Amino acid sequence: MANTYIEMDTLKFLLFNVHDLKEVLQQERFAEYDEESIAMMLDSVKDFSDKELYPYFKEMDENPAHFKDGEIIVHPQVNKYMKEGGEMGFLSGPFSYEAGGMQMPSMAVNASAFIQEAANNHLPGYIGLTIGAAELIVHFGNQFLKDTYVPKMIAGQWGGTMCLTEPQAGSSLSDIVTTAVPVGDSYKINGQKIFISGGDYKGAENIIHLVLARIKGAPAGTKGISLFVVPKNRLDEGGNLEDNDVTTVGDFQKMGQKGYCTTHLFFGDKEDCTGWLVGEPNQGLKYMFLMMNGARIAVGRGAAAIATGAYHASVSYAKERPQGRELQRTGKKDASQEQTLIINHPDVRRMLLLQKVITEGSLSLVFLTSRYQDLSQSLPDAESRAKYKLLLEILTPVVKTYPSEMGITSVNNGVQVLGGYGFCSDYILQQYLRDIRISAIYEGTTGIQSQDLLGRKITMENGKALQLLSEEIRNSINESMVHESLRPLAEKLGSKLELTQKVLQSLMGYAMKGDYQRFLADATPFMEFFSTIIIAWQWLDIGREAQKALISGNTNFSAEFYENKIHAMQFYFKYELPKTTGLSEILMDKQALTLNTEKQVFA
C-alpha cells in the first residue's frame, strides 16, 4: 500500500484560498474560530487518521462485517472509532452550542470528514449517519426526544441511522408499507427495512433509528409518510435500557466498503416495538430530506475522498515502477537504455492527470457547496441567506453525482496505471474501485439525482437558482479575464454557458408542451454535461488563485505547487470540457430512443 492518501497542502489551498473560509469565519455564528484554529484542527484529524484509520483500511476489507448468531460482527476499530470520534468532536462539530455542539462551519466539518474518508472509507459512515439522525431530532423533534437521544448520539455513545428502503419499494418511497399505530403518546411500529447502513453491530450500546412509516388512515403515496424515532433499546421508567423489539434478521455482503455494515431490520416481530413521532404526522419525507440532502453532499465528499486515496496510490506506483523505454521524438526507442519509470510515459501521465483533475475538482465542489451552506445559515440578512440556499439547492445533486460517477472513472484509470497488478488483491487499487462503486447508488441513484437537477432545481422559482449560479460563474470569468494567460480559458467557459442556454431551450420545449417524460428522458446526459461545466468553473478558480499567488510572490505554498495547479487546469480545459460539445448534440437531438414503446427493442 502507498503511504500517502491525501495532500494536505491541496486541501488547505482549496479551503483557505480558493473558497475563502475567512469570509465564513467572519460571520457571528462562527466567531469562536479563526483560520489558525481550523488549520490546527485539521492537522490533528490527519494525525488521528494516520494512526487510527488508515492502518485498518485493507484489514477491514479482508475481514468484513458479517451476520452471526443474530448479531452483526464488525471490526473492533468501529467501536473504538465511535468512542474516540465522540471525544474529538467528530460528531458534535456541526451542531449549535444550544444543542451541545461545537457550532463549526460546514466547510471545516467536511474538510475533517474528507481526511478521514480518504484514510479509510469504511469507518466514517458510522459517524456520518449518526450526525444526520441527530440533526433530524434537533430540527424537528420535541424536547423529550432532544433530551433523551441527542447528547449520547453526538458523544459517540449511541449510533444513528435512517431507515427508508423496503424490499418491495426500493427508491419508490411512496410504496412503503411499514405501519405506525398510536398508543398513548407513542406508536407501535411494524415492518421491515433493508440496506440500512450501520443498522446494528455488536458492541453498540444503542442504535437510534429514524424510520419512515404510515400512521393508520394516512393518505396514500408520499403525502402519508411520517417519521419516527425508534431506538434499538428504549428507556424504561427507571432510565435503564430494555429491548425495543428491533431485530437484525440479516446483512448484505457487498463488493466494497465491507467494513461498513449494511443490515436488514425487522421492527415489531413480537408486536412490542415503540416509536415516537418526530414533528407533525404525514411530514416524514419532508423532514427526511433535510438529512438526505446533507447525506448527498457527504456521499459526494466520500467519493472524492476514495478517488483521492486511489490517485495517490497510483502516483506512488507510477514513480516506482520501471517498464519500457521512453519513445524518442524520432519514434524510436533505445533498447540499450535502462527501463524508465512508467510515470514518464505520456499515456500514464494522461491517466494520472485525469485522476488529479477529477479528485481536486470534486473536492473544490464539496467546499463550494459547504460554503453556500454556511452562508445560507449565518448571513445577517434574509435575502442573502435565501440566495445561498438556492445556490446550495441547485448544486446538491451535482456534488453528489459528479464525484461519484467521475470518481469511478478516476479510480478505474488508477487500476489501468498499474496494469495487471491493478487487478490483483496484492495492490490496493482494486479495493478503491470496489469501495467507490456504491457512491453512484447511495442516497438516490445517478438517475434520481439527474431528474432532480433538470426537473426540479433548474426550473425552481422560474429558474432563479440557475440565474444566480450563472452570475457566480460569470463573476469568475470576469475576474479571470484580467489575467492574459487565463483569458482563452475564461472565454471557453463563457461559451459553454451560452451552450447551456441553447440546450435548456431545446429541452424546455418538451416541458412547455406537457411532455415531461421526453423532457426528463435524457436527464442523466444533462447531468454529465452540466457538471462537466461546473467543474471547469472550479478549475478556473483554482488556476486563477494559483496565478495570483505566483504574481504576488506568495510563499504559503511552493512555486511548483502553484504551477502544478495551473497545469492541471489547462489539462481539464483541453481534455474534459470539450466533451460537452458531443453531449449537447445528444441532448438537442430530436430522436426519443429510450422511451417505452410497443417495439420490442430488448427481444
Side-chain angles (χ1 to χ4, degrees), residues 140-159:
F140 302 112
N142 57 32
Q143 199 60 46
F144 164 75
L145 294 178
K146 293 176 187 177
D147 293 344
T148 303
Y149 297 105
V150 173
K152 290 195 174 184
M153 293 174 77
I154 66 176
Q157 293 176 258
W158 292 355

Side-chain angles (χ1 to χ4, degrees), residues 232-263:
K232 174 187 176 182
N233 298 304
R234 62 191 180 223
L235 293 170
D236 63 17
E237 292 182 359
N240 301 307
L241 291 175
E242 65 178 13
D243 182 73
N244 192 36
D245 195 15
V246 179
T247 308
T248 303
V249 296
D251 72 336
F252 296 89
Q253 289 299 306
K254 304 171 294 184
M255 68 182 284
Q257 289 200 333
K258 296 184 176 184
Y260 186 22
C261 66
T262 303
T263 61

Side-chain angles (χ1 to χ4, degrees), residues 111-233:
S112 169
F114 179 84
I115 295 168
Q116 297 168 60
E117 288 161 339
N120 184 337
N121 67 85
H122 298 223
L123 282 169
Y126 292 97
I127 278 179
L129 280 173
T130 303
I131 291 172
E135 281 181 328
L136 271 174
I137 297 171
V138 167
H139 280 275
F140 302 112
N142 57 32
Q143 199 60 46
F144 164 75
L145 294 178
K146 293 176 187 177
D147 293 344
T148 303
Y149 297 105
V150 173
K152 290 195 174 184
M153 293 174 77
I154 66 176
Q157 293 176 258
W158 292 355
T161 75
M162 60 177 181
C163 299
L164 293 76
T165 307
E166 297 178 9
Q168 79 292 338
S171 297
S172 179
L173 297 180
S174 62
D175 296 317
I176 68 170
V177 296
T178 297
T179 60
V181 178
V183 180
D185 60 356
S186 61
Y187 291 76
K188 289 298 180 185
I189 308 297
N190 185 271
Q192 59 180 315
K193 298 289 182 177
I194 61 171
F195 300 147
I196 309 307
S197 299
D200 191 18
Y201 51 93
K202 187 174 183 180
E205 183 180 64
N206 208 0
I207 304 287
I208 312 305
H209 303 290
L210 274 291
V211 179
L212 292 181
R214 294 186 185 281
I215 300 173
K216 187 177 181 180
T222 57
K223 294 180 180 179
I225 297 174
S226 299
L227 182 65
F228 300 87
V229 168
V230 185
K232 174 187 176 182
N233 298 304

